[in-house]
Amino acid sequence: MAGELRIALGADHGGVQLKDAIVSHLGARSGVVISDLGTCDESVDYPDFADKVATAILDGTADLGILVCGTGIGISIRANRYDGIRAALVHNEFTAEMTKAHNNANVLCLGGRVVPTELALKLVDIWLDTPFEGGRHQKRIDKLG
Ligand code: RB5
């Protein structure tokens, strides 16, 4: 539906629990449509799920993405290999806010074995609720591609 924010989520086995908690959390948020791209399996390769979410954004089926692996590191490295993806690994409120305000990150990455669930849900909300400041930050983003 027009005006809805489409968010694609992906995780490996190290992030699946947190990813599922985020799916439930976002389900209670109005104006959001979620695509859960997995995993549901016990042992998978995190690049495959970074690929699914990055592709969903780049082909226009999602506006934003959330990726979770054990540390958030591997999945963010892979997602950032795509031109047009700005994947940010965050651990606290300040980085969650700044990565939208200054970097306009279109993918939020979290470590399922690093960040407690309650904090992670807060970071997701901060990232979604923070507007991009544009201006000089857009000029800097333009140099990333
Ligand atoms: C999987 O055991 C683990 O390596 C992965 O979830 C992630 O932390 C990689 O960066």
Side-chain angles (χ1 to χ4, degrees), residues 36 48 62-63 97 111 123 135 140:
D36 183 353
D48 298 339
D63 302 303
E97 181 184 345
L123 301 185
R140 291 163 187 167

Side-chain angles (χ1 to χ4, degrees), residues 29-76:
R29 194 181 167 109
S30 67
V32 165
V33 178
I34 296 157
S35 305
D36 183 353
L37 304 181
T39 184
C40 306
D41 295 328
E42 279 182 15
S43 184
V44 294
D45 301 328
Y46 55 81
D48 298 339
F49 294 87
D51 290 349
K52 286 175 193 277
V53 168
T55 302
I57 294 172
L58 295 174
D59 74 14
T61 55
D63 302 303
L64 296 173
I66 297 175
L67 288 169
V68 192
C69 67
T71 59
I73 296 170
I75 213 156
S76 61

